[in-house]
Amino acid sequence: MKDIVKKYLEGKANTREQAMLLEWLRYEKNQSVFQTYKLDWKKNLDDSWFPEEGIESWNEIQAALLEKSFKRWRKSQKKQMFFRYAAIFFFAVAMSNLVWFFVSGSDSKEAHVYYSNVIAENGHISKVVLPDGSLVWLNSGSQIRYDNFFGAENRNLILTGEAYFEANKNERVPMVVSCGDLKVKVLGTKFNVASYPANNTVDVVLERGVVELLSDKSESFSYTMQPGERAQFESENRKLKVSEVNTSKFTSWKNGIINIYNQSLSEVIKRLETRYNQEFAFDENISGFHYTFTIKNEPLSEIIQLMEKITPVKAVQKEDIIVFHLDKNKNRDVLRDK
């Protein structure tokens, strides 16, 4: 199987070999083996291996080929239990990587319902091709979950973390993204959803089309969003705050760009933890500091230095955590200038 994995990663696997690989990946024990093979393959690559169009184009071709091969394989196996897959590829700061996926079955064999969990590794952004052709960008540490009937009988997704969606239109089967108590119902549109477990707020930004917000706990709760709107849903009291925004400030992360605009230190830290896979802490007496800047490909050290210039703070590394303290010397200088 190692030879088949290598041929698949290089785009040389034929239809039969791709089908064998998909069948092999159904078993959880083989998924970790696949990751080992993939890492070994990557270590032996050099820049000259990739085509002139670049690694991003190569990944798009790979995703399309796997999607086509899966459809043929599923058709031939329709009398047997089957699973859905997601063609995935990473857009990292320096290079792209394939993200791994795993499939877990339900307890009910009679229902023949199986679930796919697609996860973006910490510190990376992944792009997912769903079985219905819709596109999803997953932010670092985020995941989506859907069953094997996705695209045919339903388009239901469960999101943990942050994702940007380009949903294909299907009036018969609308897409429904569940984020705790909030459901985002769409036909065909572009939108961003942030729903992290540590937060009590679900943030939805609509870029194009129309989405409807619903709640499992209240049948009367419903709001139809318009392009350019940002909806913040508080899970505890089911309050909804809607405002008009520049959507690119909330969706540019999928292109590796993070726009910080007049955000508090705590908000900035959440963005940095997601982007750089680094844990932070800060003293309460500096929580009121606000920042405005843009992150593109800069290393974390440069971002911290910029924050130290903007406000009188000092970042100190304590084991695995970076802690922000008030820089008393700089604070005195600020007070003196005033």
Side-chain angles (χ1 to χ4, degrees), residues 91-102:
F91 290 102
V93 174
M95 65 175 292
S96 303
N97 297 303
L98 291 174
V99 64
W100 68 279
F101 64 90
F102 63 90

Side-chain angles (χ1 to χ4, degrees), residues 154-218:
N154 71 74
R155 291 204 294 166
N156 299 333
L157 295 164
I158 298 175
L159 170 67
T160 302
E162 184 171 18
Y164 176 85
F165 296 83
E166 287 189 5
N168 285 342
K169 188 173 183 178
N170 187 335
E171 295 182 357
R172 185 180 64 86
V173 185
M175 179 180 288
V176 179
V177 182
S178 296
C179 312
D181 297 333
L182 186 71
K183 290 183 181 294
V184 184
K185 183 178 179 181
V186 305
L187 296 178
T189 184
K190 295 182 179 181
F191 61 103
N192 192 84
V193 182
S195 177
Y196 288 97
N199 301 337
N200 294 319
T201 303
V202 179
D203 196 297
V204 183
V205 175
L206 180 60
E207 194 168 76
R208 191 179 73 184
V210 178
V211 304
E212 183 181 7
L213 305 182
L214 305 168
S215 175
D216 285 336
K217 292 187 176 181
S218 176

Side-chain angles (χ1 to χ4, degrees), residues 30 78 127 256 291:
N30 294 334
K78 62 182 179 181
K127 184 178 180 181
Y291 300 85

